[in-house]
Amino acid sequence: KKEKTEKETAKAERRLAETELLEEMKSEEVSQEVALQNSRDEELIDKYAVAIKNRVLENFKILPGHEGLECTLRIRLFRGGHVAGIEVTKSSDNPSFDRLAETAVRKVAPMPVPEENRVFEKMRTISFVFRP
């Protein structure tokens, strides 16, 4: 009877170990899939950010005295690509240039944004150096 109980216990322990191993393998697979998806999302977000930056720069006219200036902008977007807000996170130290950069962003709205909501949520806020 004792031997039978020991065999049953050993069998149950093996099943538990197998189950734990399978769960661990599934968890690793999911982690790899999530990492791959995040990588794809980041590539897509980078493409949209570059497209937005290019549209803004195409619609900006450099005024005399603004040559060589740059500022860093943070843009918050609504789902349709409209601008929810713009913040100058690093000024050019020329308030006129900074305001013109903000105006250039507003002029090209709505911005191109990804169709997939999951990706859009990751890029709802983008930042770039505005360097015409």
Side-chain angles (χ1 to χ4, degrees):
K1 193 172 191 177
K2 183 179 177 185
E3 189 177 315
K4 183 178 180 182
T5 303
E6 288 174 357
K7 285 182 181 180
E8 288 174 358
T9 301
K11 189 175 181 181
E13 287 174 354
R14 274 194 308 276
R15 269 192 249 129
L16 180 61
E18 288 173 1
T19 301
E20 289 174 350
L21 181 60
L22 286 173
E23 289 300 318
E24 188 177 319
M25 289 170 61
K26 286 180 187 175
S27 177
E28 286 178 17
E29 272 183 36
V30 169
S31 294
Q32 289 174 350
E33 288 174 17
V34 168
L36 182 60
Q37 185 64 56
N38 285 338
S39 176
R40 286 188 203 130
D41 290 352
E42 289 303 317
E43 287 177 18
L44 188 58
I45 289 167
D46 287 345
K47 287 179 184 178
Y48 276 96
V50 167
I52 289 170
K53 180 179 179 178
N54 288 340
R55 281 183 66 180
V56 171
L57 291 173
E58 287 170 4
N59 289 286
F60 184 78
K61 300 220 184 325
I62 300 174
L63 298 177
H66 288 176
E67 299 88 356
L69 294 178
E70 69 180 47
C71 63
T72 304
L73 301 174
R74 179 181 301 139
I75 305 167
R76 288 184 326 279
L77 300 170
F78 288 120
R79 182 69 189 104
H82 293 281
V83 177
I86 304 170
E87 178 184 1
V88 176
T89 57
K90 183 178 178 198
S91 176
S92 65
D93 294 327
N94 183 317
S96 172
F97 177 83
D98 293 351
R99 278 193 309 279
L100 287 172
E102 291 179 36
T103 301
V105 169
R106 292 191 192 285
K107 276 185 186 178
V108 297
M111 307 290 181
V113 294
E115 293 288 324
E116 194 169 342
N117 197 48
R118 175 183 47 78
V119 179
F120 172 75
E121 288 302 323
K122 291 181 179 182
M123 75 162 280
R124 182 177 289 276
T125 301
I126 61 168
S127 294
F128 65 86
V129 176
F130 185 82
R131 186 183 304 126

